[in-house]
Amino acid sequence: MTTNEKKELKKQAAKYMVVVMMQRILGLVCFLLAAGTLFDARGWIYFSIYFIVSIITLVVMSNNHAETLSERGKKHENTKSWDKLFLGIYVPSAFYIIYIVAGLGVRFQWPILSTTFIYIGTFLYVISTMLGVWSIIENKHFESTSRIQDDRNQTVITTGPYRLVRHPGYSSIIIWAISVPMILGSLYTGIVSAIIIVTITIRTYFEDSMLKKELSGYMEYADKVKYRLIPFAW
């Protein structure tokens, strides 16, 4: 890789990191506007964790797979059409709608979960983060859309969490979705979490089918690692 290519790579990666953090900030703004107050303790607990985790994840990716970080910010022509549908549901739900619903819960004093769930939710969030970062470290093809990365010589990843399940990155998202209503205490936020979980689960099925058909060696890998998301279950 030439010096100019390295500079362009760093530029694209930095650009994506800025977009991600702006996305997080907009999520916080959505919550605060919906809540109508700046003084919701559970909200600040959640968003403090949220921003810390986002920064850690971006730093890990920039240090280990800067090229992947750069690619995540690009639009790819060979992204599967069905994935555009799933992303159209997942992205607004996971980054904005879930926080708007949680904020409305604060404003209108909808049913809330006891403070005990803060600890359970935080524990799940930590597990989600550890699994997600581990997946990123092991998988240099950890892009944001479903496609066969012929331009990046995509290969089957069989190390780390990929020894246990075939899609640990999606497993981490599901655990995160469960943790959000627990930390924020918003019972109705669980409805949005359920939508996210169903969307990710169906997306996993489609992506797994794509990889079996189009990625060399994946079928053999799937025969060895039987489970997509949950060890010994599914």
Side-chain angles (χ1 to χ4, degrees), residues 159-179:
T159 57
Y162 293 89
R163 293 175 296 179
L164 305 174
V165 292
R166 303 201 291 271
H167 302 276
Y170 292 158
S171 299
S172 71
I173 293 175
I174 289 173
I175 298 172
W176 163 81
I178 295 171
S179 75

Side-chain angles (χ1 to χ4, degrees), residues 19-212:
V19 170
V20 169
M21 292 311 298
M22 290 302 296
Q23 191 179 54
R24 270 53 174 175
I25 292 171
L26 185 54
L28 171 60
V29 171
C30 285
F31 174 80
L32 294 175
L33 289 177
T37 178
L38 295 174
F39 305 102
D40 181 70
R42 293 178 78 152
W44 285 114
I45 289 172
Y46 173 82
F47 280 99
S48 296
I49 299 171
Y50 188 47
F51 278 95
I52 291 171
V53 165
S54 296
I55 292 170
I56 290 173
T57 303
L58 289 173
V59 169
V60 168
M61 288 195 72
S62 64
N63 289 335
N64 290 273
H65 303 305
E67 182 180 351
T68 301
L69 197 64
S70 173
E71 291 295 325
R72 287 177 69 89
K74 298 178 182 179
K75 292 183 179 180
H76 299 282
E77 293 183 359
N78 64 335
T79 295
K80 300 298 183 181
S81 57
W82 48 261
D83 195 45
K84 295 176 183 178
L85 172 62
F86 291 130
L87 288 174
I89 299 172
Y90 170 74
V91 171
S93 297
F95 296 114
Y96 308 114
I97 296 174
I98 196 168
Y99 302 127
I100 292 172
V101 173
L104 291 175
V106 174
R107 179 186 290 269
F108 297 111
Q109 298 184 339
W110 291 342
I112 61 173
L113 299 169
S114 71
T115 54
T116 302
F117 283 94
I118 296 177
Y119 305 105
I120 300 173
T122 301
F123 173 75
L124 290 175
Y125 205 131
V126 170
I127 296 299
S128 168
T129 301
M130 292 174 63
L131 180 58
V133 171
W134 191 15
S135 302
I136 289 168
I137 292 173
E138 295 293 334
N139 187 1
K140 64 180 180 180
H141 303 292
F142 203 97
E143 292 190 5
S144 55
T145 61
S146 295
R147 70 186 187 100
I148 298 299
Q149 301 169 31
D150 293 324
D151 53 318
R152 300 185 61 216
N153 299 315
Q154 184 176 3
T155 57
V156 179
I157 305 300
T158 61
T159 57
Y162 293 89
R163 293 175 296 179
L164 305 174
V165 292
R166 303 201 291 271
H167 302 276
Y170 292 158
S171 299
S172 71
I173 293 175
I174 289 173
I175 298 172
W176 163 81
I178 295 171
S179 75
V180 175
M182 292 185 177
I183 300 174
L184 291 173
S186 174
L187 189 61
Y188 292 156
T189 301
I191 298 173
V192 185
S193 292
I195 293 172
I196 293 170
I197 291 170
V198 170
T199 301
I200 287 298
T201 302
I202 298 174
R203 186 190 189 202
T204 302
Y205 172 81
F206 275 84
E207 182 169 314
D208 204 65
S209 298
M210 174 195 73
L211 293 171
K212 286 180 179 178

